[in-house]
Amino acid sequence: MPNVCVTAFANGKIKTIEVDEWPDLDYIQKAVGGLFAEVPTSFCMEFDKSWEDEAGRQETVVYCNEAAALKGLRVNKTSIANAINQELDQPLLGNLLVVSGSPAFMALQD
């Protein structure tokens, strides 16, 4: 399965990069625009058949800007945020960083 960092921008755009190492604190802060918090979610990434032998569902960790409401950030309208918002009391604001990968990769999270 691919190890990826997916930035879901509040403006609706999504950027995906494959990675070999867990993102460091600076990378996460830059992606979400400041101090961050982990979003409690059961959301999992799903990779379709275009990923060939890497297709399937895999565990994720989702980060958001912890002060998004105080900063007046807008609701994230990406499909990823919409899926996660179904589990939450309030919608996600600002940019999100979704980190997803193999079980060995996910074990690298600090």
Side-chain angles (χ1 to χ4, degrees):
M1 293 189 182
N3 302 323
V4 296
C5 285
V6 179
T7 306
F9 296 97
N11 66 9
K13 295 183 181 186
I14 295 176
K15 176 183 173 186
T16 303
I17 61 168
E18 288 193 57
V19 293
D20 295 322
E21 297 179 11
W22 195 267
D24 63 21
L25 298 178
D26 288 337
Y27 184 92
I28 299 169
Q29 286 182 325
K30 285 178 185 173
V32 302
L35 297 178
F36 61 89
E38 188 174 325
V39 178
T41 180
S42 62
F43 175 76
C44 291
M45 294 291 294
E46 291 193 38
F47 295 90
D48 64 21
K49 293 177 184 177
S50 69
W51 286 83
E52 298 174 1
D53 61 339
E54 293 186 326
R57 185 180 172 128
Q58 61 189 30
E59 183 181 345
T60 63
V61 173
V62 179
Y63 297 105
C64 67
N65 184 306
E66 75 174 6
L70 294 173
K71 291 180 175 184
L73 300 180
R74 63 181 164 175
V75 173
N76 188 307
K77 300 271 187 178
T78 61
S79 57
I80 292 171
N82 288 338
I84 297 167
N85 284 339
Q86 294 177 19
E87 300 178 24
L88 305 175
D89 294 332
Q90 296 184 359
L92 292 166
L93 307 174
N95 298 342
L96 307 176
L97 179 67
V98 180
V99 183
S100 182
S102 68
F105 176 74
M106 297 305 287
L108 298 175
Q109 179 187 12
D110 292 334

